[in-house]
Amino acid sequence: MIDLQNVAYSYGGGELLSDISFKLAPGSFHFLTGPSGSGKTTFLKLCYAELLPTGGNIHIFDRDVRSLSRDDVATVRRRIGVVHQDCAFLDHLSLAENVALPLMVAGMDPHPDDLHDLLGWVGLRSHAGALPPQLSGGERQRAALARAVIMSPDVVLADEPTGNLDWEMSMRLLTLLIELNRMGKTVLIATHDLNLIRSAKAQVAARVLRIQNRRLQLAGADL
Amino acid sequence: MKRLLHVLQLGETPADRIVPPSGYTARLTTFTAAAMAFLAVFALAMSLAAGRLADRWETALAQSATIRLAAPEDQLGAQTAAVLEVLRTTPGVTHSRVIPPEEQRALLEPWFGPDLPVETLPLPQLVEVVGDRYDPEGLRLRLAAEAPGAIFDDHTRWRRPLVSAAHRLRLLGATSILLIAGAVAAMITLAAGAALSANAQVIRVLRLVGARDAFIGQAFVRRFTLRALAGAAMGTAAGMLGIFILPAADEAGGFLTGLGFQGWHWLWPLLIPPLAAAVGFVATRAAAARALRELK
Ligand SMILES: Nc1ncnc2c1ncn2[C@@H]1O[C@H](COP(=O)(O)OP(=O)(O)O)[C@@H](O)[C@H]1O
Ligand SMILES: [Mg+2]
């Protein structure tokens, strides 16, 4: 689905990522870990064509990212649900509207029942009318997850989805992501929280990738 | 055109809500469009009035001329006959007529009062020449030969500069309208550009969730097109009202009182609001396309 071949990326200085080759297989569940500043967010941005590689090739749904027009990029993003590190909401729209945003920009009307169910799934039904600045960190993260899956994407990428959540809330979010994977979605979670990875591994066949010294490695059973 | 109509569809579209309201720039756009439309109405009125004036003077210029015949009493009859004969045989002259003493008296009355003994004054005999496409120089030469006391006056000397002034005025009016349209385009480009960069963060989020540039641009294009239309409609209405309540005076009152619209010419200013909307549409679309390409 997402295929990286000898990918390198640099923001202008030295290379942040070097010689990375990786295939994201359909239905798989991956964690991406590494120290802060190692390039996890950058890696995810390469995966949803927010950044173009400075070396090597990336194919998303069998298309070379360098050949994608701006409209093609928009179309690709409708098939990849992303939970952004900063959530990136529109503060003048209600939570429900923010969750439905991918549908609206695609020219579709959200079905009220579906939206209701989705908000129920992430436990935010009673907050549908709230504005994003009124929400807590955990509520924002769950809303971001709901928005990421509303288009029923094939792939869900989550960037530190449990970033500043307490343990209980982190587990709730992880459960949602595992449920998505059981429904057949491909899931990739960037996190530096090793406890999260350990408890996930008890429930799902998750593979752990680690960025170290600019390279991507498959982490062993030491986690 | 289809896109323009699509942009003008009534009711709120999803894109309208997605882009936060931009009160300040939007109000400025409305105001500018209104002011410019107001000015455009007057430029249009001036242009049309100048055009009417030029037409009228030109017609008069082409059609009527006079011959003044001054000759000793005993030769006057013969020379008058000679003048009429020359006119009768001049191609392009459709009508000629000796102006009788009563009419001459009427012409002089405003200056000298009704009691003027016209008969006793050594006034020249006037002959009116009506026609077009005759050759004034040829006529002048023939008259000099046949009736030495005749002076042909086709009013060209004083009317020609007036006609060209009126033409120039019409051109200035048209130029003003074009400049006003250009100023509106420039202003809306600036306002739309400001609104787009003020919303860079919103646009980033929209791109992240899969919005196409056309969708994002449409929200801005619609907003500014509608603002330009509404503002121009207000300005045009005010301008037309201003002209409508200009004190009426007959056309002889001159150019100033002839400034209004006449008959179906009242329809002309109604073109200003749609024109402003079209200008706003094109300007915002260009600004949005440029801004969205620059934002990542
Ligand atoms: N837009 C940018 N321009 C320049 N440097 C950047 C930019 N974004 C991130 N970086 C740098 O790249 C490195 C990796 O960042 P990031 O991918 O966010 O790491 P992580 O998500 O693993 O913490 C950091 O050192 C960061 O400062
Ligand atoms: Mg990060």
Side-chain angles (χ1 to χ4, degrees), chain B residues 139-159:
Chain B
L139 182 58
R140 206 166 268 137
L141 288 175
R142 284 187 67 198
L143 284 172
E146 310 271 331
I151 295 166
F152 176 69
D153 180 1
D154 59 2
H155 315 313
T156 312
R157 215 167 347 100
W158 65 275
R159 269 187 177 151

Side-chain angles (χ1 to χ4, degrees), chain A residues 48 50-51 70-71 73-75 77-78 84 86 88-90 92-94 97 101-102 104-105 147, chain B residues 14 17-21 201-202 204-215 292-293 295-296:
Chain A
Y48 60 87
E50 167 88 343
L51 298 174
R70 286 176 65 85
D71 280 358
V73 169
T75 308
R77 296 211 179 135
R78 292 173 193 181
H84 300 275
D86 62 353
F89 291 123
L90 297 183
H92 66 287
L93 296 183
S94 72
E97 285 172 317
L101 199 58
M104 283 153 78
V105 303
R147 185 181 69 183
Chain B
R17 287 211 21 77
I18 286 169
V19 177
Q201 188 55 26
V202 170
R204 189 183 78 92
V205 172
L206 292 176
R207 289 284 307 168
L208 283 177
V209 299
R212 296 207 168 100
D213 286 348
F215 176 87
L292 288 171
R293 244 181 290 116
L295 291 168
K296 209 169 49 67

Side-chain angles (χ1 to χ4, degrees), chain B residues 209-296:
Chain B
V209 299
R212 296 207 168 100
D213 286 348
F215 176 87
I216 302 168
Q218 193 205 319
F220 290 93
V221 171
R222 202 174 121 80
R223 187 167 294 170
F224 283 94
T225 304
L226 289 175
R227 293 284 173 171
L229 180 66
M234 288 188 268
T236 302
M240 287 174 76
L241 186 70
I243 285 193
F244 184 72
I245 60 176
L246 270 184
D250 62 86
E251 283 284 321
F255 171 72
L256 208 54
T257 52
L259 190 63
F261 298 103
Q262 286 178 0
W264 66 271
H265 280 179
W266 278 101
L267 297 180
W268 272 112
L270 297 183
L271 286 178
I272 292 174
L275 194 71
V279 166
F281 175 74
V282 172
T284 324
R285 236 160 67 114
R290 197 159 357 93
L292 288 171
R293 244 181 290 116
E294 279 166 16
L295 291 168
K296 209 169 49 67

Side-chain angles (χ1 to χ4, degrees), chain A residues 11 16 34-43 45 85 159-160:
Chain A
Y11 279 107
L16 178 63
S36 178
S38 60
K40 300 183 291 297
T41 300
T42 305
F43 180 90
K45 284 182 175 173
Q85 196 163 7
D159 195 356
E160 311 268 6

Side-chain angles (χ1 to χ4, degrees), chain B residues 23-204:
Chain B
Y24 184 58
T25 44
R27 272 199 300 279
L28 273 182
T29 305
T30 311
F31 170 75
T32 312
M36 290 299 186
F38 189 79
L39 295 179
V41 170
F42 286 99
L44 187 64
M46 183 182 83
S47 211
L48 289 172
R52 279 199 303 274
L53 212 58
D55 285 349
R56 206 165 58 231
W57 284 341
E58 217 159 32
T59 317
L61 190 65
Q63 284 194 344
S64 87
T66 28
I67 291 169
R68 289 194 307 276
L69 186 58
E73 192 103 27
D74 54 329
Q75 290 175 27
L76 194 60
Q79 287 211 19
T80 306
V83 165
L84 290 176
E85 181 57 19
V86 166
L87 290 174
R88 204 178 57 74
T89 56
T90 302
V93 172
T94 52
H95 180 71
S96 62
R97 183 175 72 97
V98 173
I99 295 179
E102 313 81 67
E103 250 179 75
Q104 289 205 18
R105 191 203 312 270
L107 285 173
L108 292 173
E109 211 179 86
W111 279 274
F112 298 111
D115 302 326
L116 188 72
V118 176
E119 301 77 16
T120 65
L121 288 175
L123 283 178
Q125 176 63 55
L126 294 182
V127 178
E128 187 181 60
V129 184
V130 178
D132 47 13
R133 287 195 303 278
Y134 59 84
D135 166 25
E137 281 316 305
L139 182 58
R140 206 166 268 137
L141 288 175
R142 284 187 67 198
L143 284 172
E146 310 271 331
I151 295 166
F152 176 69
D153 180 1
D154 59 2
H155 315 313
T156 312
R157 215 167 347 100
W158 65 275
R159 269 187 177 151
R160 185 74 68 199
L162 286 183
V163 170
S164 58
H167 277 302
R168 196 69 57 78
L169 209 54
R170 173 160 60 181
L171 193 67
L172 285 176
T175 311
S176 306
I177 293 171
L178 286 182
L179 287 177
I180 288 170
V184 169
M187 210 298 298
I188 291 181
T189 303
L190 288 176
L196 282 153
S197 42
N199 285 300
Q201 188 55 26
V202 170
I203 291 170
R204 189 183 78 92

